Amino acid sequence: MKKAIAIIQARMSSKRLAGKVLMPLADEPLLWHIYNRLSYCQQINKIIVATTIDKSDDKIENFCKKNKIDFYRGSLDNVLKRFIDIINKFSPEYVVRITGDTPFPTPGFIDAQIRALKQNNGDITVGKNRGWFFEGQGGCSVRVLKKAYRFSKDKLDLEHVGSFYLAKNLDKLRVVSINVPKELIVKNCRLTIDTPEDYQFISKIYKDLYQKDKLINLYMIKDWIAKNRKLLNIY
């Protein structure tokens, strides 16, 4: 069976909003919610938090130990190396990169990507228009990440896990098209936490919609946004 893992890249020293990965949403840290949502994925065999050896990330290690979450600590600046080290340890065929500022990773979307990659022996999934609801949760093959690590000399690829290498070499990759429902293509609202304003906005969504043992789905979020458009002025 071809294995797929999800890697959550997380650190406390974010320049725009330090410590955001452990900031509370509905009484639980953002990182807890990310992990919990990923646990609903049927195509993911393991979830690992990829943090750094920086002392500030001792808090992330302690959080992971307390919650029995697998973690790895590596380079602060070379995120791609962190991913490669984890890949070498667990030997998956596919990886889903989850950024630590993504409060709503979507199990159905992630599973669809992995299934499509497996069925087509693909390297990466692309879609003409996914909107902002689906940022920060992209799947790809391990072989293409290893190529990026081996051949890219761009420092941005080290920080962004080979994203620039992949974008420049799509014509050389096994690309699989995957689209999302048209009604979920939203362009006027990001579901990302980069700034205090982002955190304030996402906190309101969690306060109104979160229920224990029940995932907030994207249709619920879209309906909530339609009823609370004045809050978009936060941006």
Side-chain angles (χ1 to χ4, degrees), residues 147 172 191:
K147 284 182 180 178
K172 302 174 185 176
L191 295 183

Side-chain angles (χ1 to χ4, degrees), residues 120-150:
N120 295 279
N121 193 23
D123 285 319
I124 190 171
T125 63
V126 299
K128 289 183 178 179
N129 190 346
R130 291 180 179 175
W132 291 343
F133 273 14
F134 298 94
E135 291 182 334
Q137 47 187 311
C140 66
S141 70
V142 163
R143 62 175 171 252
V144 79
L145 278 186
K146 288 184 174 180
K147 284 182 180 178
Y149 184 66
R150 180 180 178 184

Side-chain angles (χ1 to χ4, degrees), residues 18-29:
K20 62 185 176 183
V21 294
L22 294 183
M23 286 182 170
L25 295 170
D27 299 323
E28 295 287 358

Side-chain angles (χ1 to χ4, degrees), residues 5 8 23 32 59 89 103 105 114 118 120 133 159 161 187 193 206 209 211 214:
I5 64 174
I8 307 168
M23 286 182 170
W32 183 91
K59 293 181 179 180
K89 180 177 181 179
I114 297 302
K118 287 180 178 179
N120 295 279
F133 273 14
E159 179 182 355
V161 195
K187 297 182 179 181
I193 299 180
Y206 264 91
L209 298 182
Q211 298 179 46
K214 183 178 180 181

Side-chain angles (χ1 to χ4, degrees), residues 9-234:
Q9 59 184 79
R11 62 187 176 96
M12 295 295 288
S13 55
S14 172
K15 294 178 181 178
R16 285 175 286 189
L17 187 60
K20 62 185 176 183
V21 294
L22 294 183
M23 286 182 170
L25 295 170
D27 299 323
E28 295 287 358
L30 168 60
L31 187 54
W32 183 91
H33 287 290
I34 294 173
Y35 182 90
N36 181 58
R37 292 179 67 87
L38 291 173
S39 69
Y40 285 82
C41 293
Q42 297 180 358
Q43 296 291 321
I44 296 297
N45 302 100
K46 185 175 285 291
I47 307 164
I48 304 103
V49 172
T51 191
T52 87
I53 57 174
D54 190 81
K55 185 172 179 56
S56 65
D57 291 322
D58 289 351
K59 293 181 179 180
I60 293 178
E61 176 177 339
N62 293 337
F63 167 83
C64 289
K65 287 179 176 178
K66 179 181 178 181
N67 290 277
K68 298 181 180 180
I69 296 172
D70 287 320
F71 68 93
Y72 171 80
R73 298 186 71 168
S75 170
L76 176 62
D77 300 315
N78 193 341
V79 187
L80 179 56
K81 176 66 161 54
R82 277 187 249 161
F83 274 61
I84 294 298
D85 289 346
I86 291 170
I87 286 167
N88 289 338
K89 180 177 181 179
F90 293 104
S91 301
E93 283 77 23
Y94 302 98
V95 172
V96 179
R97 175 197 176 200
I98 307 294
T99 56
D101 54 11
T102 302
F104 299 108
T106 304
F109 176 61
I110 291 169
D111 284 342
Q113 289 183 81
I114 297 302
R115 281 194 296 267
L117 290 169
K118 287 180 178 179
Q119 291 170 3
N120 295 279
N121 193 23
D123 285 319
I124 190 171
T125 63
V126 299
K128 289 183 178 179
N129 190 346
R130 291 180 179 175
W132 291 343
F133 273 14
F134 298 94
E135 291 182 334
Q137 47 187 311
C140 66
S141 70
V142 163
R143 62 175 171 252
V144 79
L145 278 186
K146 288 184 174 180
K147 284 182 180 178
Y149 184 66
R150 180 180 178 184
F151 295 113
S152 177
K153 307 300 180 183
D154 192 334
K155 290 184 179 180
L156 288 173
D157 275 321
L158 305 184
E159 179 182 355
H160 297 283
V161 195
S163 297
F164 291 83
Y165 175 86
L166 300 185
K168 292 175 184 176
N169 291 278
L170 282 179
D171 59 328
K172 302 174 185 176
L173 306 180
R174 298 174 181 177
V175 178
V176 180
S177 294
I178 181 171
N179 295 310
V180 300
K182 291 182 179 179
E183 61 269 24
L184 290 178
I185 298 175
V186 176
K187 297 182 179 181
N188 62 347
C189 175
R190 298 184 315 136
L191 295 183
T192 301
I193 299 180
D194 280 330
T195 67
E197 291 78 15
D198 291 336
Y199 174 67
Q200 181 183 353
F201 180 71
I202 298 299
S203 293
K204 290 181 182 296
I205 296 177
Y206 264 91
K207 181 180 178 181
D208 289 351
L209 298 182
Y210 179 72
Q211 298 179 46
K212 188 177 180 180
D213 299 325
K214 183 178 180 181
L215 291 187
I216 301 172
N217 67 53
L218 298 183
Y219 290 94
M220 293 166 63
I221 296 170
K222 185 178 179 183
D223 289 343
W224 184 93
I225 290 171
K227 296 174 183 177
N228 294 273
R229 286 199 173 274
K230 62 181 181 180
L231 295 178
L232 297 181
N233 293 331
I234 291 173

